[in-house]
Amino acid sequence: MKRLLWLGVGLAVGALVVRKLTQKAEEFTPTGIATSLSQSAGGLVESMRSFVEDVRDGMAEREQQIAEAFAEGVLYEDKFAELREDEQPGSQEGIR
């Protein structure tokens, strides 16, 4: 009876190992590779879409802050003016 139990356990483990190896081998077939690439590309597109939405939300928030400061007649402090001057020296001199 003990041998029959161990035979059953061995068959179950063997079946699981064969199943996992078959699934792993399927990933390296042309169809498996195409599926993997498709999922990766979909994830990349979704990440880019999320990034663009975050940037748009930030832009809208910043524009709202500037509009509120303009409506109140308050001089809006541009925290990034120095950075822009460093990038393009002399190009903003006549506009101020």
Side-chain angles (χ1 to χ4, degrees), residues 74-89:
V74 177
L75 180 61
Y76 190 76
E77 181 182 343
D78 187 1
K79 299 175 185 176
F80 303 105
E82 293 174 6
L83 294 175
R84 284 194 303 274
E85 289 174 1
D86 291 343
E87 290 177 5
Q88 300 172 354

Side-chain angles (χ1 to χ4, degrees), residues 30-83:
T31 304
I33 292 172
T35 301
S36 176
L37 288 175
S38 173
Q39 290 173 351
S40 296
L44 178 65
V45 168
E46 186 59 36
S47 295
M48 290 297 293
R49 188 172 291 143
S50 175
F51 174 74
V52 169
E53 288 176 7
D54 290 344
V55 169
R56 286 183 181 160
D57 290 344
M59 285 174 32
E61 181 180 339
R62 185 77 167 156
E63 288 174 0
Q64 181 66 29
Q65 292 171 352
I66 292 169
E68 289 173 0
F70 184 74
E72 295 172 1
V74 177
L75 180 61
Y76 190 76
E77 181 182 343
D78 187 1
K79 299 175 185 176
F80 303 105
E82 293 174 6
L83 294 175

